[in-house]
Amino acid sequence: MKDFINRLYQNHSLIYKVFLFIITTIAIVYLFPKGGGFGLDIQKGKIWQLDNKFAPFDFAIQKSSEEIEKEKEAIEERKQLYFKYNKGVFGRVKSNYLQVAADKIPDSVFEKYSRRRVIRFGEQLLNKIYKDGFLEKDDSKIAEPKQLINIRDGNEVKQLVFDKLVNQVEVKSLIDNYYDNSDYAALKTQFRTVFADVLEPNVYFDEEFTQKVYEKELNDISYTKGLVSEGARIISKGDVIEGRKYEILNSLKNEYRSQLWSESNYNWIVFGYILLIALALLMLLLFIKQYRPEVFEDNTKVTFIFFNVLLMVLLVTMVVRYKVEYLYVVPLIILPITLKAFFDARLGLFTHVLTVLLLGFIVPNSFEFIFLQIIAGIVTILTVSELYKRANLFISISQITLVYMVAYFAFSVIQEGNTDKLNFEYFGLVALNGVLSFLSLLLILIYEKTFGLISDVSLLELSNTNSKLLRELAEKAPGTFQHSMQVANLAEACANEIGANAMLVRTGALYHDIGKLANPMYFTENQTTSVNPHDELTPKDSASLIINHVIHGIELAKKNGLPDRIIDFIRTHHGTSQVYYFYMKQKESTPDFVDIEDFSYPGPIPFSKETAILMMSDAAEAASKSIKEPTAQLIDDLIEKIVSGQMKNDQFMNADITFKEIEMIKKVLKKKLNNIYHLRIEYPE
């Protein structure tokens, strides 16, 4: 049992990766819509490369979503409006009118006018108001004035123009005009009061019945437009997939899917997805292990990569499931941008391509999608650089957006054969994709805090010499600060020469000696007097103080929250070299009792191009100060001696750096140091 636990502990990193691999595979399979296509790759405008295709069974030709949408719009435009007619209202209004008119019109009126004629005149107005119907006030804006509507009277329905109905806004002017143009104009005010008391609507908008009829018409829409008989030829080899052939092939594909579900092959589909997704993720893991071993060994970084793949899959599947027309709004180029910001272009592109291939299973027009996204990923990798320069990202995303638009235009022309059906809305969606791509800056910031990674944007902030730690270094150890600045300049120039991360190595160089803040006066560059504190110490103690500046630097860096990639420069800038001066001094006094381990830095040795550059630049800059009268030849010899010694002591064994790159670095160091000391050729007198 103990041996088993020990083996688990020893292989815990690998076990975690296996667990991460399984969880990511399950999550992606869960997100994917489950369906099958039986190998029918249908791309409009392409040539059918397979053999002649015959109908394997009878099936209906399905209408396209655009056709169905047009039919729905047509039904909406000719939507029938229904109103209820209450037959008993007019009789009640007429009876009430006679009663109210008798009560409210004074007898003095009838001394001048005939009672029968006055009452009869009002009845004629009632007949006019209720001839076609008196509408509720709130229903007056439901239909257009000249729109044909339906009036339901029991089981009978009659049609009339909407503006023939009288509404409560119109009835006031109708009463005024009726009396003004008659012999009874003087009675207008009295009868206006009478009609206000007795009038009530007898036509009401029947919203429930209207909606029921509308829904019935929608339900009656036919989703098919013909039948293909078994054995009928659908398409011949070499035919272009377009028009009716395209519609029939799509219908066959959908019929296959429906039969697939009816045959309950769900588990087989899931199993197939598991195999394909697991294969893609395995390729990603193997690539990282083979070409990025330092990333593979770091579980946090592997988790970060898998998380980003899963995030992109989640976004695309959600859009496909709920609003597929917005598919190209999803900013997939965020994936290569973020991976390039934290790792490198090759890993970013490889991961992006695998993710796009996975998404090709679930998106419509998969070939078009894969082509567009891979091209966009390549452009992203080629153009996005130095994210700390704000204009760079803007220019790069503009170029990527333009590539999207050009590629879409090309696909549209190929599929339709002309530009008549060009969907200009797509260009707006792509532009929105570009805008959303700027979220990569926010994501990079979040990832830095969450996963402890570092990008060029953070490196720029850290390299600011007004930061707290560097300002403290400048105040307490000014000599060390100046040395760090010089080393940063040398290292940056070397990194640019060989294509390494110049911003990273510059920032690492600025912080590589912060451990000297613990005892600044024990380092010669900070000594301003002739008094040397090492004179009071044994060589072994002096060496210990010098060596410990690495340990102190690591502690101080962690205390101030510096990223691990910067701390790596502090750890490795001396590798496993020796404090040679004090070693020789100890050897002079006690030649038989000297342990070289007491005078050696603990390491580790550099494990990247950047940390190797810093080691060479640091040693070269420090050693150049010991030359009392520097000449070009002396500096050349010094650089050769220092770098050769480091190589002889195997300091670059773990660094991914070539002999050619080391030679290029030596040339840069020689040139820069000659410039620093202003060395020129001697002119003859």
Side-chain angles (χ1 to χ4, degrees):
M1 183 64 181
K2 187 177 181 181
D3 291 340
F4 176 73
I5 293 173
N6 287 335
R7 281 198 297 273
L8 282 179
Y9 180 77
Q10 291 169 2
N11 297 295
H12 73 280
S13 180
L14 182 60
I15 293 170
Y16 174 81
K17 291 181 181 68
V18 172
F19 177 75
L20 178 66
F21 173 82
I22 293 171
I23 290 297
T24 308
T25 302
I26 293 172
I28 293 176
V29 171
Y30 175 77
L31 290 172
F32 273 16
K34 314 305 184 298
F38 285 90
L40 284 179
D41 181 22
I42 304 168
Q43 294 291 329
K44 191 175 183 181
K46 287 183 67 179
I47 305 251
W48 182 261
Q49 301 289 355
L50 304 177
D51 292 333
N52 296 349
K53 186 70 179 176
F54 296 91
F57 42 74
D58 294 340
F59 65 93
I61 303 172
Q62 298 175 351
K63 293 178 182 176
S64 66
S65 57
E66 291 80 8
E67 290 175 310
I68 294 170
E69 194 60 35
K70 282 182 181 178
E71 288 191 31
K72 288 181 178 179
E73 289 174 2
I75 291 173
E76 177 67 34
E77 287 176 5
R78 64 170 190 268
K79 185 177 181 180
Q80 296 288 313
L81 299 179
Y82 286 85
F83 291 77
K84 286 188 292 187
Y85 178 79
N86 191 331
K87 189 181 292 185
V89 169
F90 180 61
R92 183 168 63 251
V93 168
K94 198 169 183 180
S95 175
N96 291 340
Y97 163 74
L98 296 173
Q99 181 66 42
V100 172
D103 293 343
K104 289 200 171 184
I105 298 177
D107 292 336
S108 59
V109 170
F110 300 117
E111 294 175 358
K112 185 176 180 181
Y113 302 101
S114 166
R115 177 185 292 272
R116 185 177 64 80
R117 288 183 178 180
V118 168
I119 298 299
R120 179 63 183 161
F121 189 75
E123 283 186 68
Q124 290 173 347
L125 177 58
L126 283 179
N127 292 333
K128 189 174 182 180
I129 292 172
Y130 285 94
K131 177 184 176 183
D132 293 306
F134 182 33
L135 185 67
E136 278 188 312
K137 181 179 179 181
D138 293 338
D139 293 341
S140 60
K141 294 182 180 179
I142 288 174
E144 296 296 325
K146 299 301 180 183
Q147 184 175 345
L148 206 60
I149 62 169
N150 300 283
I151 306 293
R152 292 176 60 230
D153 183 4
N155 293 326
E156 295 181 4
V157 177
K158 70 174 182 176
Q159 289 187 323
L160 78 158
V161 178
F162 181 66
D163 64 0
K164 287 193 173 292
L165 296 176
V166 178
N167 61 59
Q168 292 192 8
V169 174
E170 298 170 338
V171 76
K172 293 178 182 178
S173 58
L174 184 65
I175 294 170
D176 290 345
N177 292 335
Y178 184 74
Y179 278 92
D180 286 341
N181 297 322
S182 70
D183 296 334
Y184 304 106
L187 304 179
K188 180 175 69 175
T189 303
Q190 288 93 334
F191 273 89
R192 188 190 289 167
T193 305
V194 171
F195 287 124
D197 288 343
V198 301
L199 288 178
E200 60 177 289
N202 68 337
V203 176
Y204 310 88
F205 177 55
D206 194 343
E207 186 175 3
E208 183 180 349
F209 191 79
T210 298
Q211 187 64 24
K212 190 181 294 184
V213 172
Y214 173 67
E215 288 176 357
K216 184 179 184 303
E217 288 189 29
L218 287 180
N219 293 332
D220 288 343
I221 290 177
S222 173
Y223 287 80
T224 62
K225 55 178 182 181
L227 184 70
V228 178
S229 301
E230 182 179 351
R233 185 168 62 183
I234 298 172
I235 191 169
S236 301
K237 185 175 182 179
D239 286 352
V240 178
I241 304 173
E242 60 181 0
R244 187 171 176 81
K245 293 174 184 176
Y246 176 73
E247 293 173 349
I248 294 174
L249 284 171
N250 257 332
S251 300
L252 178 59
K253 187 175 183 178
N254 293 331
E255 189 66 27
Y256 271 141
R257 283 178 176 169
S258 86
Q259 289 193 12
L260 182 71
W261 285 108
S262 65
E263 293 168 7
S264 302
N265 288 331
Y266 176 85
N267 292 333
W268 282 108
I269 295 172
V270 172
F271 180 68
Y273 271 132
I274 289 173
L275 289 180
L276 291 172
I277 293 167
L279 186 62
L281 294 179
L282 181 62
M283 293 304 102
L284 178 57
L285 269 180
L286 291 176
F287 174 86
I288 297 171
K289 186 177 188 300
Q290 181 70 25
Y291 297 103
R292 299 294 180 270
E294 72 282 0
V295 175
F296 185 80
E297 294 300 323
D298 191 329
N299 283 340
T300 301
K301 292 178 179 177
V302 176
T303 304
F304 170 74
I305 294 170
F306 275 61
F307 172 79
N308 273 274
V309 172
L310 185 59
L311 177 62
M312 292 300 110
V313 171
L314 173 64
L315 290 175
V316 172
T317 51
M318 291 299 102
V319 171
V320 168
R321 189 171 298 174
Y322 298 110
K323 207 73 175 176
V324 71
E325 56 267 30
Y326 292 127
L327 177 62
Y328 287 99
V329 174
V330 180
L332 272 179
I333 59 169
I334 284 180
L335 180 60
I337 289 175
T338 53
L339 292 184
K340 185 180 179 183
F342 291 118
F343 304 111
D344 61 87
R346 192 175 176 187
L347 177 58
L349 182 59
F350 189 87
T351 307
H352 176 71
V353 169
L354 278 181
T355 305
V356 170
L357 290 175
L358 284 176
L359 294 173
F361 291 126
I362 63 168
V363 297
N365 297 324
S366 57
F367 175 78
E368 177 183 327
F369 176 85
I370 292 172
F371 181 87
L372 284 174
Q373 298 298 352
I374 289 180
I375 290 295
I378 292 172
V379 176
T380 302
I381 292 300
L382 292 176
T383 59
V384 175
S385 61
E386 299 179 322
L387 286 175
Y388 57 89
K389 296 179 181 177
R390 289 171 294 181
N392 281 12
L393 185 63
F394 177 80
I395 293 170
S396 297
I397 289 178
S398 299
Q399 292 171 338
I400 295 163
T401 303
L402 179 63
V403 168
Y404 266 127
M405 291 180 177
V406 170
Y408 165 72
F409 176 82
F411 270 111
S412 180
V413 170
I414 290 171
Q415 291 175 359
E416 303 297 340
N418 53 54
T419 59
D420 296 343
K421 295 185 179 180
L422 202 62
N423 185 3
F424 289 97
E425 184 181 340
Y426 175 86
F427 295 108
L429 297 178
V430 171
L432 181 57
N433 180 308
V435 173
L436 292 176
S437 298
F438 284 100
L439 289 174
S440 54
L441 290 175
L442 175 62
L443 280 177
I444 286 171
L445 178 63
I446 294 171
Y447 288 151
E448 285 178 338
K449 304 300 181 185
T450 307
F451 293 94
L453 301 170
I454 186 168
S455 68
D456 284 353
V457 179
S458 294
L459 290 175
L460 180 65
E461 294 175 357
L462 290 170
S463 63
N464 185 352
T465 53
N466 284 320
S467 64
K468 178 185 174 184
L469 203 52
L470 292 181
R471 196 166 61 246
E472 185 181 354
L473 183 66
E475 292 171 358
K476 295 182 179 179
T480 299
F481 178 75
Q482 290 302 321
H483 161 71
S484 298
M485 291 288 290
Q486 294 280 21
V487 172
N489 292 332
L490 290 173
E492 184 178 22
C494 294
N496 283 325
E497 185 69 19
I498 68 169
N501 190 331
M503 180 62 71
L504 175 62
V505 75
R506 176 178 180 80
T507 309
L510 289 172
Y511 289 92
H512 80 283
D513 267 346
I514 58 171
K516 292 180 180 179
L517 278 171
N519 298 291
M521 298 311 295
Y522 283 89
F523 299 90
T524 55
E525 67 266 24
N526 298 313
Q527 294 170 3
T528 56
T529 65
S530 59
V531 178
N532 190 340
H534 286 287
D535 294 340
E536 307 297 325
L537 302 174
T538 64
K540 184 177 178 180
D541 290 338
S542 293
S544 178
L545 274 169
I546 299 296
I547 290 169
N548 282 341
H549 87 274
V550 173
I551 306 300
H552 293 149
I554 294 170
E555 292 173 351
L556 190 59
K558 288 184 176 180
K559 183 179 177 182
N560 284 270
L562 291 184
D564 287 340
R565 290 183 75 184
I566 301 303
I567 296 175
D568 288 340
F569 287 92
I570 302 172
R571 288 192 182 100
T572 61
H573 74 278
H574 284 298
T576 56
S577 61
Q578 290 79 41
V579 186
Y580 197 70
Y581 175 80
F582 291 110
Y583 171 69
M584 294 305 295
K585 201 171 181 182
Q586 182 70 44
K587 204 169 183 182
E588 289 174 7
S589 59
T590 56
D592 298 327
F593 300 99
V594 181
D595 185 356
I596 196 168
E597 293 295 325
D598 294 334
F599 297 87
S600 299
Y601 285 96
I605 59 176
F607 47 79
S608 66
K609 288 180 183 180
E610 289 77 15
T611 50
I613 289 170
L614 177 61
M615 173 178 275
M616 288 183 267
S617 302
D618 180 42
E621 201 282 332
S624 68
K625 297 289 179 62
S626 65
I627 304 176
K628 294 180 181 179
E629 296 181 5
T631 65
Q633 186 60 49
L634 284 175
I635 288 177
D636 286 2
D637 293 342
L638 179 66
I639 299 301
E640 290 291 342
K641 181 181 177 182
I642 288 171
V643 176
S644 297
Q646 291 171 338
M647 293 174 66
K648 185 179 178 181
N649 291 329
D650 297 330
Q651 296 300 301
F652 306 137
M653 288 292 290
N654 294 339
D656 181 22
I657 194 166
T658 64
F659 285 115
K660 181 181 179 181
E661 289 170 336
I662 292 174
E663 288 299 319
M664 293 167 70
I665 290 168
K666 288 196 292 185
K667 287 180 182 178
V668 173
L669 290 174
K670 292 172 185 177
K671 180 181 177 182
K672 288 293 180 182
L673 287 174
N674 282 327
N675 290 339
I676 289 172
Y677 292 108
H678 305 288
L679 299 176
R680 297 182 177 89
I681 60 171
E682 293 185 10
Y683 292 94
E685 296 182 1

